[in-house]
Amino acid sequence: MSAVEYGPEDTWPRHQEQYWRESLAIARQAGWSLNYVNAPHRFGEVYCPAREHSFMVDKTARGSETKAKEARKKVVRCNHPAGP
């Protein structure tokens, strides 16, 4: 299993859950990147432009909707600007 890196300018893989799709779209618009793993229970990791803030994206974990909402807050609170 290998990971694929997606930058904010790339088209990211589609998550099966709407609440994660919304959170991932917000992160992408803010200049964050995705390390797409596509493991049985793990979708990948999303990180800010400075790679100081990140969050994991699960596929089927309990409480995923809450985690997706927390991820949005993390993106909004991050003060690392997107690249040029």
Side-chain angles (χ1 to χ4, degrees):
M1 165 175 40
S2 62
V4 179
E5 294 279 331
Y6 291 93
E9 67 283 345
D10 298 324
T11 301
W12 291 7
R14 181 178 163 93
H15 196 282
Q16 64 191 16
E17 299 293 344
Q18 178 63 31
Y19 49 83
W20 270 120
R21 288 195 298 267
E22 292 168 359
S23 296
L24 292 170
I26 290 168
R28 189 170 157 239
Q29 291 170 354
W32 289 44
S33 297
L34 169 67
N35 185 15
Y36 180 63
V37 179
N38 196 27
H41 296 285
R42 176 81 60 199
F43 184 80
E45 181 179 12
V46 181
Y47 51 89
C48 79
R51 293 185 179 249
E52 290 185 22
H53 302 108
S54 66
F55 58 87
M56 300 301 290
V57 181
D58 295 324
K59 287 184 177 177
T60 59
R62 286 186 179 168
S64 280
E65 189 168 2
T66 301
K67 290 178 182 179
K69 289 177 183 178
E70 291 171 359
R72 290 181 213 171
K73 291 177 186 176
K74 189 175 272 195
V75 171
V76 171
R77 290 181 185 142
C78 176
N79 60 0
H80 297 108

